[in-house]
């Protein structure tokens, strides 16, 4: 059912779909979701510095998108059991439904609602 969507994304040159070896049946990663959302909303990304998270480096896939979204307050890293930040983002970990909902709602507030008169 998703073949046409993947083909369209590949044709349009979307970041996440440039690798034709991606298994469309696997869960999306946190990094892929952030990159796709920022690209869909046409958000300008910052050059990645690799110093915002302990597991996101300049060479990490989608690092620029992750750091841009973090700078804008759309995403944050993981928190420990006591609620304090761990410093990690988990760019290659699968995104769950709650995380996805939070990312989308925060992105709408940040990038769409703040620009509406």
């Amino acid at each position: 059912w998703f073949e046409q969507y993947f083909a369209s994304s590949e044709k349009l040159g979307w970041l996440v779909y440039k690798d034709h070896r991606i298994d469309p049946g696997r869960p999306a990663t946190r990094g892929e979701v952030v990159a796709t959302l920022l690209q869909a909303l046409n958000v300008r990304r910052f050059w990645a510095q690799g110093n915002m998270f302990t597991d996101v480096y300049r060479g990490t896939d989608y690092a620029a998108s992750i750091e841009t979204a973090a700078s804008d307050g759309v995403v944050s890293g993981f928190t420990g059991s006591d609620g304090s930040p761990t410093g990690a983002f988990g760019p290659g970990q699968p995104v769950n439904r709650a995380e996805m909902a939070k990312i989308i709602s925060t992105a709408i507030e940040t990038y769409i609602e703040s620009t509406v008169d």
Side-chain angles (χ1 to χ4, degrees), residues 30-45:
R30 291 168 52 88
E32 290 170 342
V33 166
V34 171
T36 301
L37 186 57
L38 266 59
Q39 190 166 8
L41 296 175
N42 200 30
V43 174
R44 289 188 178 175
R45 293 169 293 136

Side-chain angles (χ1 to χ4, degrees), residues 50-64:
N51 57 9
M52 294 189 84
F53 298 104
T54 58
D55 58 352
V56 177
Y57 312 98
R58 289 181 186 174
T60 300
D61 287 341
Y62 320 115

